[in-house]
Amino acid sequence: MLSLNVGPQHPSTHGVLRLVVDMDGERVSRVVVHMGYLHTGFEKTFEHRTYQQGVTYAPRTDYLHSFGHELAWVLGVEKLLGAQVPERAQVIRVILHELGRIHSHLVFVGTGLLDLGALTPLFYTFREKESCQDIFEAISGYRMNQGYFRVGGLSKDAPEGWEQMVARFCDQQERGVQEYLNLFGQNPIFLDRATDIGIISAQEAIDLGLTGPNLRASGVPLDHRKNNPYSGYENYDFEVLTTQKGDCLDRFRIRILEIEQSIRIIRQALARLRPGLVQDPNRKISLPPRPELETSMEAVIHHFKLVTEGFHPPLGEVYVPVETCRGEVGYYVVSDGGSMPYRVKIRSPSFVNVQALEYACVGAQFADLITILATIDPVLGDVDR
């Protein structure tokens, strides 16, 4: 029996993870997962900021699908407040939510195959990743950690020509998916490394609390966009796709399939996009338009109160699940009636998903451990929070 210490170092364990691996000859007999090497303390930070200021911290909880965490946070606070989000803001949120999913899956495919020794696919996937970030920058001014959503809507409207930019990206991404599949989909080395490796059965996935692509790769069709619709997802036509074996190959396949479904949703959202407001008109929630500050003392008072103190949701607690690239994200928020949340608890999927390593790796060879880690969660973007 031999015990090996794997990590924490970047990039092989992606900076936030240490594994103690017990080997019985060539086979893994036990894996102990140690987390907490990049703990951010965001949950406590949220409790010392106003609700609107929380938008700054939510995207930093997962830097790859930051819009997913932004959306989960504002949906929870809006439920506490009873805010009314305009239709245009809802549609733009859906577009950015799905673009964020694509953005993360591109990194998954590129870095996952890089962990298996394939360098070339990284350049293909990052080509589309950069185009995706161009879209983020055009609408928010930032390529990462955008902080673009607001409680009650958006910080500002989309610029002129942004919709055409998104449509061109969808065309580019559709071609890109076919290139990825042509590049590695039938590669015998990739298939040998991924087929029948790290199998997680449907019952095991449920027992472990897995969500997102890892759960659907094991044949369980849970997707909160369908099961608990938010932001108008009940009005979009898309499929919740599953695979049955639950091995590394299926976990790769399900992400590729989800990219295609996200493009399908984005095209529908672009067709729904109409001119209109992008913030709740309630001045107790949203800042008044800047020009009004020059002519209205009431607008100045609302602006001053919201910026210095924030709004005061009624007493209560809320949790809204959101389907992100790695699974269920939710912010449990408790209000004591003050301008800052009394308690915030983040349900981050990476924290749960990575615990499956202990079950998926037993009996595999040591090299397979890296493959399994890469397909369960290659970036661990929100494992520590």
Side-chain angles (χ1 to χ4, degrees):
M1 185 71 71
L2 176 68
S3 290
L4 297 175
N5 190 65
V6 182
Q9 79 275 341
H10 185 79
S12 62
T13 57
H14 305 275
V16 296
L17 184 68
R18 170 176 170 244
L19 306 175
V20 178
V21 184
D22 291 343
M23 301 292 298
D24 184 5
E26 293 289 329
R27 299 287 173 179
V28 175
S29 61
R30 182 168 178 256
V31 177
V32 179
V33 179
H34 294 266
M35 293 174 279
Y37 289 88
L38 196 66
H39 188 62
T40 56
F42 278 151
E43 291 172 334
K44 283 301 171 188
T45 305
F46 272 103
E47 295 167 15
H48 294 84
R49 300 292 186 274
T50 66
Y51 288 92
Q52 203 70 275
Q53 287 173 333
V55 173
T56 302
Y57 298 94
R60 286 162 172 81
T61 310
D62 182 354
Y63 48 89
L64 284 182
H65 194 180
S66 53
F67 285 114
H69 276 262
E70 282 188 45
L71 186 57
W73 170 252
V74 298
L75 285 175
V77 179
E78 286 162 359
K79 190 172 182 180
L80 275 174
L81 283 169
Q84 301 298 315
V85 181
E87 178 65 20
R88 181 174 174 83
Q90 295 275 32
V91 175
I92 292 176
R93 283 181 177 184
V94 168
I95 293 172
L96 291 172
H97 189 35
E98 294 305 317
L99 286 172
R101 190 185 319 278
I102 293 172
H103 177 257
S104 181
H105 285 346
L106 290 172
V107 177
F108 169 91
V109 175
T111 60
L113 290 167
L114 185 64
D115 285 345
L116 302 186
L119 177 61
T120 305
L122 183 74
F123 297 108
Y124 282 77
T125 57
F126 271 52
R127 175 189 59 196
E128 273 74 60
K129 175 186 180 296
E130 289 298 311
S131 296
C132 197
Q133 287 186 297
D134 290 341
I135 295 172
F136 299 159
E137 186 177 17
I139 196 170
S140 70
Y142 296 91
R143 298 180 74 80
M144 291 179 63
N145 303 327
Q146 289 83 12
Y148 173 68
F149 295 166
R150 291 291 184 273
V151 177
L154 310 173
S155 62
K156 56 185 177 182
D157 203 348
E160 185 177 350
W162 185 78
E163 296 93 329
Q164 291 76 18
M165 192 178 185
V166 175
R168 288 194 300 270
F169 171 78
C170 289
D171 295 337
Q172 175 187 347
Q173 184 61 76
E174 283 182 336
R175 294 191 298 269
V177 167
Q178 294 306 311
E179 288 182 335
Y180 312 155
L181 294 175
N182 293 337
L183 190 64
F184 71 85
Q186 300 301 318
N187 185 296
I189 300 175
F190 166 70
L191 295 176
D192 286 345
R193 291 291 304 275
T195 304
D196 295 329
I197 302 297
I199 294 175
I200 302 174
S201 69
Q203 190 58 53
E204 285 175 332
I206 293 170
D207 292 344
L208 289 168
L210 301 186
T211 54
N214 291 316
L215 181 64
R216 293 190 286 274
S218 296
V220 182
L222 174 65
D223 188 319
H224 287 293
R225 293 173 295 176
K226 286 283 191 183
N227 297 81
N228 300 289
Y230 53 90
S231 298
Y233 268 105
E234 64 274 15
N235 301 317
Y236 292 88
D237 179 29
F238 65 99
E239 298 177 53
V240 178
L241 300 174
T242 60
T243 53
Q244 298 302 316
K245 191 178 289 186
D247 61 359
C248 291
L249 181 62
D250 277 355
R251 288 191 285 274
F252 263 105
R253 289 175 56 209
I254 204 72
R255 263 90 169 187
I256 293 291
L257 294 172
E258 287 195 359
I259 290 175
E260 295 177 330
Q261 291 300 311
S262 290
I263 293 171
R264 180 177 172 183
I265 294 170
I266 292 169
R267 291 194 188 281
Q268 293 175 58
L270 289 173
R272 291 172 179 270
L273 207 52
R274 300 288 184 273
L277 297 174
V278 294
Q279 292 181 340
D280 188 332
N282 184 352
R283 296 298 170 82
K284 301 293 185 182
I285 296 174
S286 303
L287 291 174
R290 178 68 64 176
E292 284 192 23
L293 300 181
E294 301 175 3
T295 58
S296 170
M297 178 54 67
E298 184 178 352
V300 172
I301 293 170
H302 280 302
H303 187 279
F304 179 80
K305 292 288 287 182
L306 285 172
V307 170
T308 59
E309 184 179 340
F311 41 71
H312 294 252
L315 291 170
E317 55 186 352
V318 68
Y319 177 85
V320 179
V322 168
E323 189 70 34
T324 71
C325 58
R326 275 177 279 282
E328 178 184 336
V329 165
Y331 284 69
Y332 171 67
V333 185
V334 180
S335 169
D336 61 359
S339 62
M340 302 178 188
Y342 172 76
R343 182 74 177 95
V344 174
K345 175 66 178 175
I346 305 171
R347 197 282 182 194
S348 58
S350 292
F351 184 78
V352 178
N353 292 344
V354 77
Q355 296 175 78
L357 280 174
E358 184 174 354
Y359 298 85
C361 291
V362 172
Q365 293 185 341
F366 184 80
D368 294 333
L369 183 149
I370 303 302
T371 308
I372 296 167
L373 173 60
T375 57
I376 287 179
D377 206 321
V379 181
L380 306 174
D382 54 9
V383 72
D384 290 328
R385 67 265 183 267

